[in-house]
Amino acid sequence: MPLKDITAVKGRRYIEKLVAEGEHEQQDFKFMISDARKIARSVSAFANNSGGRLLIGVKDNGVVAGVRNEEDIYVIEQAAGRYCVPPQQVEFKAYRVDAAVTVIVASIARAETRPVSVVEEDGRRRAYYRVADENIAAHPLMVEAWKRAESGRSGVVMSLTGLECDLLHLIDGRLLELREVALGLHIAESRARSLIVRLAVLGLVDFVYTGGTFKLTRTGDEEMTPASPRTRQS
């Protein structure tokens, strides 16, 4: 979809309002697009969270420079369609800031099916998650919980086991890593993984990113950006 195929509308105030928000969980600035796989990571991160938008033609410092290359749109489409699994749709809108400056807003919706992974250079697939203004590789337990939630294999649970209740008590008001959960419950890490994934699918625990890693917290306790695999309401 070349830039000439998108009808630009007046949008100086709108773009200024978006830029004033800065980069955050649902917004990223891109002065120019050159690496489709890198953009695919942004698409994956937004799609696995609550969606987001790329402002094409805006520098990292917030300076509105305008779109420089019509190929930018093609690269984004390639990133979302070729390097994302499953492929994602991107909606493009063009806004004229002045006679010589146009900014493209590329919007990515929250994925209906998660995880949305990126095919990396080595052929491996990796899912990303948007945390503040960063695209972070999703924790394997988050990915597993997404898969189980989407497949419906969790079933309807009327009650929790004693060990599951112990896990909820253990993490109440705390942020714990997998190893700490295993040690606290005196069980193998493999067993702890299964418990965490099951409770994550049920929406009883969340993952938060802090100190350079994802940690487990009880739902409702998170004071930082949550990364819950449960289905959220839009």
Side-chain angles (χ1 to χ4, degrees):
M1 181 187 297
L3 183 58
K4 65 178 181 294
D5 293 338
I6 303 177
T7 301
V9 299
K10 292 182 179 179
R12 179 176 180 178
R13 291 185 178 180
Y14 176 63
I15 293 301
E16 288 178 344
K17 174 180 176 294
L18 294 184
V19 171
E21 295 177 5
E23 294 182 314
H24 52 71
E25 184 177 291
Q26 295 180 310
Q27 180 166 281
D28 200 2
F29 298 160
K30 295 295 179 184
F31 173 50
M32 58 188 302
I33 308 295
S34 58
D35 188 333
R37 188 170 272 108
K38 184 176 181 180
I39 292 301
R41 295 175 188 134
S42 293
V43 174
S44 167
F46 283 136
N48 285 327
N49 196 335
S50 55
R53 57 182 172 262
L54 301 170
L55 269 58
I56 315 302
V58 179
K59 296 183 178 181
D60 289 342
N61 60 5
V63 172
V64 179
V67 177
R68 289 292 187 267
N69 191 340
E70 289 190 1
E71 290 297 312
D72 287 353
I73 297 176
Y74 169 75
V75 175
I76 296 173
E77 289 181 323
Q78 182 186 46
R82 178 178 177 182
Y83 293 115
C84 287
V85 181
Q88 299 298 296
Q89 295 293 320
V90 181
E91 179 182 344
F92 298 96
K93 291 185 178 180
Y95 296 90
R96 288 196 308 273
V97 178
D98 60 40
V101 177
T102 297
V103 171
I104 297 292
V105 177
S107 299
I108 298 97
R110 181 190 185 278
E112 294 183 0
T113 301
R114 296 186 294 176
V116 174
S117 302
V118 175
V119 181
E120 300 288 6
E121 293 181 358
D122 60 4
R124 296 182 182 181
R125 296 181 182 180
R126 179 175 291 113
Y128 291 84
Y129 195 85
R130 186 73 174 177
V131 177
D133 60 351
E134 296 184 83
N135 303 324
I136 307 296
H139 193 286
L141 295 183
M142 292 170 59
V143 175
E144 180 61 28
W146 287 335
K147 290 179 179 178
R148 292 194 185 183
E150 296 296 346
S151 69
R153 285 182 292 171
S154 58
V156 177
V157 178
M158 303 303 295
S159 61
L160 299 177
T161 67
L163 196 55
E164 288 167 342
C165 290
D166 290 342
L167 172 53
L168 291 176
H169 287 304
L170 178 67
I171 62 176
D172 192 12
R174 306 169 67 187
L175 296 175
L176 299 179
E177 295 183 12
L178 171 64
R179 179 181 57 83
E180 295 171 314
V181 170
L183 289 174
L185 295 179
H186 306 290
I187 59 176
E189 288 193 7
S190 59
R191 178 59 175 149
R193 289 191 188 96
S194 297
L195 290 174
I196 291 170
V197 169
R198 176 175 158 82
L199 292 179
V201 171
L202 296 175
L204 298 178
V205 298
D206 276 335
F207 297 90
V208 297
Y209 191 78
T210 179
T213 187
F214 282 103
K215 293 186 178 181
L216 190 69
T217 186
R218 188 165 177 171
T219 300
D221 289 342
E222 61 268 35
E223 296 179 355
M224 302 168 209
T225 303
S228 174
R230 68 185 186 279
T231 302
R232 296 183 182 275
Q233 298 296 319
S234 58

